[in-house]
Amino acid sequence: MAVSPTHLIAGTAAALLLAGCSAPSPGTAPSPAPPASTTGPAGPTESPSPTPSPAPTTSTAAPSPTPTPTAPPLPVGDFETDLDVPWGLARLPDGSVLVTLRDQARISRVSLGESSSLGQVPGVQPSGEGGLHGIAVDPQDPQVVFVHYRAANDNRVARLRLTGNRFTVERVIVDGMPAASIHNGGRLAFGPDGYLYIATGDGNRTANSQNPDSLGGKILRVDRDGNPAPGNPFGTRVWTLGHRNVQGMAWDEQGTMYASEFGQNTWDELNKIEPGKNYGWPRVEGMGNDPAYTNPLRVWSTDEASPSGLAYLNGSLYMAALRGQGVWRIPLAGGEPEKLLTNLGRIRTVEPTGDGGLFVVTSNTFRGSPRSGDDRIIVWRP
């Protein structure tokens, strides 16, 4: 249920302003000194994994400019409350957002003061961490939406078409991505080059990440029909490999791509993503000494992060932390990361609002300690 602007300003807004504007205790990414190789058991779920992202090999396109908002800036505070395991969020041109409810397999459309269900995505088989995951709006046609979900035997991406407050499934564009009760990846995002990027997990089978014929443990780059995008480094859908469980992707103004990734027992990662690079899993967790694998930009202990969503805003990356319970701000021009919004519990998703703020989606109804109003979407202005 959406709440009124009065409640927004009087309630959560005050807590958010304290969290975002007072001096939170800064978090520092630990000095990387993990073992060069880890091949142990599956380890804690939803705890380690980052992902970065680049642009095409020949040229780097600048991100499409954010449309000038026609409505007043959104008020800080609750945008929507009482959600059941929300996962992905995508903004529509009119300022409303689409949010996926993982276990219900539903998509809801939310604007300030109202919410409506668009229906259930057919074929979703929720299990453990799997269900209805990421969502992305086609920048060329906002009536076209892509969703990532777990089906009976695999993870899939489907293309939907919005018609009013309902949708129809046009077709499944990618299938065969490994699925399990953990490590499903699931984030979708259009890059500044206009192609769709898909974050996948290893499906709880570490060998998938280094197998070039598997779609697991990869970042994929495809066109709107699911075909390999032109310029992909291997001529397949694969953009990068050697990932464990990527759940966040973002680009800066120069078109440089970044990704957040769950580690296993020791190190979570933030990676700069470059086409064709191998990020090491399961042979390396965190920083390694083998030049065959690309080291992360930053690492955190799995207790400090367990990263999911990732967003870029005003020179910094903002990384959602599940087990770490907060949002890490990582300045790209230098300086140490700091953890903010530590009063909200587990954070699944962060996305730009389009008017200078961020949407923040909590995840306390899954492995958390729900409080009144959870789970919620919040408007925050760092």
Side-chain angles (χ1 to χ4, degrees), residues 303-316:
D303 287 337
E304 291 179 304
S306 294
S308 188
L310 189 68
Y312 173 82
L313 185 69
N314 298 333
S316 293

Side-chain angles (χ1 to χ4, degrees), residues 31-365:
S31 301
S37 172
T38 58
T39 55
T45 60
E46 291 209 339
S47 179
S49 85
T51 54
S53 49
T57 47
T58 54
S59 63
T60 300
S64 302
T66 301
T68 303
T70 56
L74 292 169
V76 169
D78 286 338
F79 186 75
E80 177 73 345
T81 60
D82 298 310
L83 296 168
D84 183 17
V85 196
W87 209 100
L89 181 145
R91 185 167 51 90
L92 291 167
D94 66 359
S96 64
V97 301
L98 301 176
V99 58
T100 60
L101 303 179
R102 188 194 68 189
D103 294 353
Q104 295 182 9
R106 291 189 177 277
I107 302 173
S108 288
R109 184 171 189 162
V110 182
S111 57
L112 194 60
E114 62 179 300
S115 173
S116 59
S117 174
L118 304 189
Q120 204 168 27
V121 177
V124 179
Q125 298 287 321
S127 175
E129 296 171 8
L132 182 59
H133 307 126
I135 186 166
V137 175
D138 190 329
Q140 294 184 0
D141 183 355
Q143 299 304 114
V144 174
V145 174
F146 297 82
V147 292
H148 181 290
Y149 64 94
R150 179 184 171 169
N153 299 308
D154 59 358
N155 280 302
R156 300 182 174 189
V157 173
R159 188 176 67 217
L160 318 179
R161 181 165 290 276
L162 299 179
T163 306
N165 275 338
R166 305 300 294 175
F167 65 82
T168 55
V169 179
E170 290 192 336
R171 57 169 292 194
V172 172
I173 67 163
V174 178
D175 58 13
M177 295 178 287
S181 61
I182 58 176
H183 303 184
N184 292 288
R187 195 69 60 180
L188 299 179
F190 276 91
D193 54 11
Y195 291 106
L196 180 65
Y197 289 75
I198 305 168
T200 78
D202 65 13
N204 202 25
R205 293 176 60 93
T206 59
N208 286 331
S209 299
Q210 293 295 325
N211 180 356
D213 297 324
S214 171
L215 298 181
K218 311 291 191 301
I219 295 176
L220 312 179
R221 177 174 174 264
V222 301
D223 65 18
R224 287 159 177 78
D225 293 318
N227 302 311
N232 279 7
F234 310 109
T236 67
R237 293 166 168 152
V238 174
W239 188 243
T240 57
L241 69 159
H243 300 289
R244 183 175 184 263
N245 191 20
V246 171
Q247 287 192 2
M249 299 182 289
W251 287 259
D252 65 17
E253 290 108 333
Q254 289 71 45
T256 302
M257 183 180 179
Y258 303 88
S260 54
E261 184 168 343
F262 284 101
Q264 182 172 256
N265 297 317
T266 311
W267 300 111
D268 294 326
E269 301 175 3
L270 172 69
N271 286 293
K272 178 182 177 182
I273 299 300
E274 298 180 273
K277 292 294 182 68
N278 187 327
Y279 290 83
W281 178 257
R283 298 167 185 168
V284 179
E285 178 186 2
M287 298 288 183
N289 299 315
D290 191 332
Y293 306 117
T294 300
N295 279 331
L297 290 179
R298 291 274 183 179
V299 296
W300 289 258
S301 76
T302 54
D303 287 337
E304 291 179 304
S306 294
S308 188
L310 189 68
Y312 173 82
L313 185 69
N314 298 333
S316 293
L317 292 168
Y318 291 83
M319 187 177 77
L322 289 163
R323 185 178 297 177
Q325 299 197 9
V327 176
W328 284 94
R329 176 161 57 195
I330 305 131
L332 293 177
E336 291 300 322
E338 57 181 337
K339 188 165 69 172
L340 309 174
L341 293 188
T342 56
N343 60 327
L344 297 176
R346 292 161 53 88
I347 308 295
R348 169 67 67 186
T349 293
V350 284
E351 292 287 346
T353 60
D355 63 4
L358 291 171
F359 289 113
V360 178
V361 183
T362 68
S363 187
N364 294 316
T365 52

